[in-house]
Amino acid sequence: MAGELSPIDKAKFVAARRAADYVETGMQVGLGTGSTAAWLVRCLGEMVRDDGLRIKGVPTSTRTAALARDVGIEVVSLDEARWLDLTIDGADEFDADLNLIKGGGGALLQEKIVATASDQMIVIADVTKGVDTLGHFPLPVEVIPFGWQTTKALIEEMLAAMDVLGQQTTLRMNGDAPFVTDEGNHILDLHLKRIGAARQLSMALNQIPGVVENGLFMDVCDVVVVGYGDGRVEVRDINDGTVHEDKINFVDTDNLFSDLMD
Ligand code: 5RP
């Protein structure tokens, strides 16, 4: 069944499969959002069902909550869990310092809160997500609907003084209507092309009234598990400064794929 996946999906899957090795019985685990995180949730569901893994999962979106329940993971809220051992999530970009752009799936607010409440954050990503400098992927910024056009204008004014290549901002749409996040907010996507001073930009964005949070995750991620289409994975640990290579055997995972394709 794995043979039917595209190389990118295989890369996402092997990153998720490798990251699942970090999860142990008794842990409270933050569950990310997006297609890569969905593989992780399925892997953990398989471990719950077949290996007796017992964990509490804190999802970062309604989508992830539904999937986690579907695959048999016990779901609790962050308020119930209070503090997490580990969060595993995808990313839209990561750089050599493991700083991230997230929010392509519109869940950046819960993702940032959950990751920050965790002892460790592991990002799972296919190799195309690695960049020298953040900013090619449009930076998502969550804003409240009230006066969003004023917030947009204030962001554009602020960007003029920032070390970025592009300054275009667009309201994310869902068909004909503005996209609405799980918290009832909108997303502005900032087409910056290159972010020269990400930390400064992140702080400046969060000073603007109407901005709830932005998709720059600075100093939050500890480990990135990078997946390749041929089954190779690279585990980059920013705290240890180590890079380990591994290979995932797709044959071992046939159960997961047959469940998925049913
Ligand atoms: C959702 C996110 C996702 O983690 C990010 O968009 C990556 O998604 P995918 O794994 O589908 O490529 O930040 O808000």
Side-chain angles (χ1 to χ4, degrees), residues 63-142:
R63 275 168 287 161
T64 298
L67 178 62
R69 287 197 181 94
D70 256 20
V71 300
I73 296 173
E74 181 184 347
V75 169
V76 297
S77 68
L78 181 58
D79 286 331
E80 287 167 308
R82 304 287 282 274
W83 198 257
L84 307 180
D85 297 283
L86 176 65
T87 284
I88 305 177
D89 199 350
D92 299 301
E93 281 185 356
F94 63 89
D95 69 11
D97 296 325
L98 307 197
N99 291 320
L100 317 170
I101 288 183
K102 284 187 52 56
L108 68 99
L109 179 56
Q110 288 190 21
E111 290 172 336
K112 199 179 262 193
I113 294 170
V114 168
T116 305
S118 305
D119 284 341
Q120 192 180 27
M121 182 197 195
I122 298 177
V123 160
I124 46 180
D126 65 83
V127 64
T128 64
K129 305 284 184 67
V131 295
D132 289 335
T133 308
L134 297 174
H136 182 72
F137 190 91
L139 175 65
V141 178
E142 184 154 344

Side-chain angles (χ1 to χ4, degrees), residues 32 38 148 209 221:
W148 70 265
C221 174

Side-chain angles (χ1 to χ4, degrees), residues 39-66:
W39 281 116
L40 183 266
V41 174
R42 292 185 195 108
C43 287
L44 294 179
E46 188 185 53
M47 289 159 70
V48 167
R49 196 187 59 217
D50 296 348
D51 308 332
L53 178 74
R54 284 180 297 103
I55 56 167
K56 290 181 178 162
V58 174
T60 52
S61 62
T62 49
R63 275 168 287 161
T64 298

Side-chain angles (χ1 to χ4, degrees), residues 53 172 195 224:
L53 178 74
R172 191 178 298 182
I195 302 173
V224 171

Side-chain angles (χ1 to χ4, degrees), residues 149-161:
Q149 303 206 47
T150 304
T151 307
K152 181 173 181 288
L154 288 169
I155 290 174
E156 283 164 358
E157 198 180 300
M158 178 273 289
L159 286 177

